[in-house]
Amino acid sequence: MSSPIQIPGTTRTVAASVSPTTTNIHDRFASLHRQESLNFRQPRVLHPVENEGLRLLILENISVEAVNAFKAQGLHVDHYTKAMSEDELLQKIGSYHGIGIRSKTKITEKVLKAATKLLVIGCFCIGTNQVDLKAAASAGIPVFNSPFSNSRSVAELVMSELVVLSRQLFERSYELRQGLWNKQSKGCWEVRGKTLGIVGYGHIGSQLSVLAEAFGIRVIFFDVINLMPLGSARQVESLDALLSEADFVTLHVPELPETINMISRDQLALMKKGAYLINNARGKVVDIPALIESLKSGHLAGAALDVFPSEPGSNGSPFDDQVNPWASTLRSLHNVILTPHIGGSTEEAQRMIGQEVSQAVLRYIGLGSTIGAVNFPEVDLRAITAEEGDHVRVCYVHKNQPGVLKLVNETFAPYNVEKQYSDSKGEVAYLMADIANVSPMDVTSLQESIRRTDANILTRFLA
């Protein structure tokens, strides 16, 4: 804003810019948000018409904040710190409407068939390969995850591993703890001026790229699609080209059929002598016996592994040859950093993951929204307001086949459909509709009519 200011010794005035002294831009936005919120009608809290007392099974030491968020909405929560085996899940899953897991618990098709009440799955992590996504979708169960929340934590772990490997810090620290003073510089390097090859330039890879350049590291990356580099990073045309040029190779790819053992004997042979391999992605993307050979031969100078093909189910369990047949050999190697899948294990990451996934699960349970689901059509409707007291929300998961919407809309014909939206993904489709002037007796009739359709997978009414 401007204010007239008189020039000393004259009668002239000029308009000069004056900074606000009582409020700042954040205050003004907050004030604007408060004013706008007064103009919106308050949303009504919806509840399942068939409310048996919704129960959630939460495993693997998921954030307490997430557990509290569920409890605050009146849900019954059974919270366990450990993963569960398939047999344990088969015994328990039948009484739960939702389940929250991390990476160790496997939700197989067999488990899903036993989960007769299950409505939703929350994966409190990046990956979802521990869930049979197709079987879940076929059962009408959306799966939610947190694809971005721990990106920074993983990127920072990689940066620490670059320095620890290049300076042999792991070995020197271990020796000193054993009472051995072994000061040396041979084989120890600065990371400045070295080349980092990032395989998979997604949310983690791109953040890592920026951090690495701040250390003076040259960055190249390979991805299956062409991407805009950040900073001075450069995309290379093939994995082989990256492996042959990089001093450090770090993997940030999902576990897919085409990525299993993507780093094996032939790929390791392409890497520069004295290079380092880092894997914080998925355990099966590296052929560990081939890596052991390369490390033993001295071709690679070191490695850091945070993930493994098979991992213990709980803290305190042994990591030995019963878990992976090569575990004791791997543990005996020099300049190899082994960590227990802690890439996303920071207070900040777990808090953000807990918030993101718990809110997605609650939005689906209470509002029917599937925004963010990885295996499901993404459908959403604006909230029913408090004034719309005789409205019900229909959440209809069905087979993606012709004629379904015609049958459903014929069922809705006697009522006023306020809003409706549907979408499909593969063999599954999902429709949400808000209907006005529906009595409790009408709700029962509508439920029976829709569930009798041949395409019905799962139908819920929220009122």
Side-chain angles (χ1 to χ4, degrees):
M1 64 182 178
S2 62
S3 177
I5 297 177
Q6 185 172 350
I7 299 177
T10 73
T11 58
R12 295 173 55 200
T13 60
V14 296
S17 176
V18 179
S19 298
T21 57
T22 56
T23 61
N24 56 37
I25 191 170
H26 303 290
D27 295 330
R28 293 202 296 275
F29 273 118
S31 176
L32 179 62
H33 177 73
R34 286 192 295 269
Q35 292 173 12
E36 289 178 345
S37 66
L38 296 176
N39 297 326
F40 287 105
R41 293 177 294 174
Q42 293 300 308
R44 180 155 60 89
V45 178
L46 300 179
H47 300 281
V49 171
E50 299 172 322
N51 190 352
E52 307 172 50
L54 296 180
R55 296 170 58 88
L56 298 184
L57 176 62
I58 304 298
L59 305 176
E60 301 187 59
N61 204 25
I62 287 168
S63 166
V64 174
E65 291 185 12
V67 174
N68 291 338
F70 291 132
K71 290 181 177 179
Q73 296 300 314
L75 305 180
H76 176 89
V77 180
D78 290 330
H79 185 204
Y80 298 87
T81 59
K82 298 181 179 180
M84 284 191 179
S85 66
E86 184 178 70
D87 288 340
E88 290 173 313
L89 285 173
L90 289 174
Q91 294 177 9
K92 287 183 173 291
I93 196 67
S95 61
Y96 291 99
H97 301 87
I99 183 170
I101 61 172
R102 293 178 72 182
S103 57
K104 291 184 174 64
T105 302
K106 311 300 181 186
I107 309 294
T108 62
E109 183 176 10
K110 187 176 181 181
V111 170
L112 289 166
K113 286 181 178 179
T116 53
K117 296 180 180 179
L118 198 65
L119 300 174
V120 62
I121 298 171
C123 294
F124 288 75
C125 51
I126 290 180
T128 56
N129 57 293
Q130 68 274 40
V131 179
D132 188 328
L133 298 177
K134 185 176 181 181
S138 298
I141 302 169
V143 178
F144 298 95
N145 70 332
S146 181
F148 317 128
S149 294
N150 69 359
S151 302
R152 177 71 182 201
S153 296
V154 178
E156 288 189 4
L157 178 63
V158 175
M159 288 306 304
S160 69
E161 289 167 338
L162 292 176
V163 176
V164 169
L165 287 171
S166 63
R167 296 293 299 276
Q168 300 181 14
L169 289 181
F170 184 78
E171 290 180 271
R172 299 293 85 77
S173 176
Y174 176 77
E175 290 165 350
L176 198 56
R177 286 178 177 274
Q178 301 304 307
L180 174 65
W181 185 273
N182 184 23
K183 180 180 178 180
Q184 61 174 288
S185 59
K186 184 179 180 180
C188 298
W189 312 93
E190 293 182 358
V191 296
R192 178 182 56 172
K194 306 303 186 294
T195 299
L196 172 64
I198 301 173
V199 182
Y201 201 68
H203 293 278
I204 296 173
S206 56
Q207 282 207 44
L208 173 61
S209 173
V210 174
L211 294 176
E213 286 198 350
F215 272 65
I217 298 172
R218 293 189 297 269
V219 177
I220 59 176
F221 68 91
F222 170 70
D223 203 290
V224 293
I225 59 176
N226 290 325
L227 295 167
M228 177 68 73
L230 298 180
S232 300
R234 172 171 57 88
Q235 185 166 9
V236 297
E237 69 278 3
S238 67
L239 176 61
D240 289 357
L242 180 142
L243 295 174
S244 62
E245 185 177 347
D247 300 299
F248 297 88
V249 175
T250 180
L251 308 176
H252 301 284
V253 296
E255 183 184 307
L256 301 169
E258 55 267 33
T259 63
I260 293 176
N261 284 343
M262 69 179 297
I263 303 296
S264 191
R265 187 170 286 103
D266 291 344
Q267 291 74 33
L268 292 167
L270 289 173
M271 293 178 65
K272 296 165 69 172
K273 181 174 174 57
Y276 304 86
L277 178 69
I278 298 173
N279 182 22
N280 294 309
R282 286 291 179 263
K284 292 183 180 180
V285 304
V286 175
D287 180 351
I288 303 294
L291 174 63
I292 290 173
E293 289 179 16
S294 186
L295 289 163
K296 279 186 169 182
S297 71
H299 181 68
L300 290 190
L305 301 176
D306 185 49
V307 288
F308 306 91
S310 297
E311 298 178 357
S314 61
N315 289 342
S317 299
F319 182 73
D320 55 20
D321 291 351
Q322 298 298 315
V323 180
N324 293 290
W326 34 255
S328 59
T329 304
L330 181 67
R331 285 171 16 220
S332 69
L333 297 177
H334 296 290
N335 208 25
V336 175
I337 303 170
L338 304 177
T339 49
H341 205 147
I342 59 170
S345 296
T346 62
E347 295 285 353
E348 295 90 344
Q350 291 308 306
R351 182 172 62 250
M352 288 189 289
I353 289 170
Q355 291 171 350
E356 184 176 353
V357 180
S358 63
Q359 290 307 309
V361 169
L362 287 170
R363 282 196 302 270
Y364 178 69
I365 290 175
L367 298 173
S369 172
T370 54
I371 298 298
V374 297
N375 67 328
F376 222 71
E378 294 189 80
V379 176
D380 193 20
L381 288 179
R382 63 173 173 82
I384 296 176
T385 63
E387 291 83 1
E388 297 169 321
D390 58 352
H391 286 52
V392 297
R393 173 163 289 181
V394 181
C395 303
Y396 176 51
V397 186
H398 58 278
K399 299 173 186 175
N400 184 21
Q401 61 189 41
V404 176
L405 294 183
K406 179 177 181 293
L407 291 174
V408 172
N409 285 321
E410 285 176 353
T411 303
F412 293 160
Y415 308 94
N416 182 26
V417 179
E418 294 279 353
K419 47 189 180 292
Q420 184 184 76
Y421 183 63
S422 68
D423 199 1
S424 62
K425 187 172 186 176
E427 299 176 355
V428 176
Y430 182 44
L431 175 143
M432 289 176 65
D434 288 347
I435 307 172
N437 304 318
V438 182
S439 69
M441 187 176 298
D442 292 335
V443 169
T444 302
S445 176
L446 281 169
Q447 284 178 308
E448 292 175 355
S449 297
I450 294 175
R451 287 173 177 167
R452 279 199 302 266
T453 59
D454 293 337
N456 179 67
I457 296 175
L458 178 68
T459 300
R460 292 195 303 142
F461 276 61
L462 304 173

